[in-house]
Amino acid sequence: MISDKVKAIIANSGIPKYKIADSLGISRQQLSNKFHNNTFTTADLIKICSACGYDITITDNKGTTFTLSDKTLPAIGATKVLLPPLTGAAFGASSCF
């Protein structure tokens, strides 16, 4: 589950979860609900990674990359887009999640 990957990123960063919730503009309970229900939006994931010192990079089969960070959110309009389930080879150990 993506929630497990997000928990690992937060744990590795050493940033308290209440600060992560603050960076998302939500309460700790709402963040807990996102973990429990696995309902992170793309914007949530970008903001969490940015708060923890990471960017998300997507690479297509041709090697073209696109980096998502808190600076790109307005440009891509990702405030309400749900991230599709990531499974299999496309969800490798070398990725941020």
Side-chain angles (χ1 to χ4, degrees):
M1 287 185 131
I2 196 75
S3 294
D4 296 331
K5 303 296 183 180
V6 173
K7 284 179 186 178
I9 289 167
I10 293 170
N12 285 335
S13 75
I15 297 172
K17 285 186 181 176
Y18 76 89
K19 288 189 177 183
I20 299 297
D22 288 346
S23 74
L24 294 174
I26 62 175
S27 70
R28 288 180 67 189
Q29 182 59 50
Q30 288 171 308
L31 180 61
S32 178
N33 291 343
K34 285 182 178 285
F35 280 111
H36 180 74
N37 298 319
N38 201 39
T39 55
F40 291 97
T41 64
T42 302
D44 293 337
L45 297 173
I46 293 168
K47 289 177 185 178
I48 291 168
C49 281
S50 292
C52 294
Y54 295 95
D55 287 334
I56 299 172
T57 302
I58 298 171
T59 306
D60 69 14
N61 293 338
K62 297 177 185 176
T64 305
T65 62
F66 182 75
T67 300
L68 303 173
S69 71
D70 57 347
K71 295 172 187 150
T72 64
L73 277 175
I76 63 171
T79 57
K80 295 186 179 179
V81 178
L82 291 176
L83 187 70
L86 300 175
T87 58
F91 195 69
S94 63
S95 66
C96 177
F97 298 105

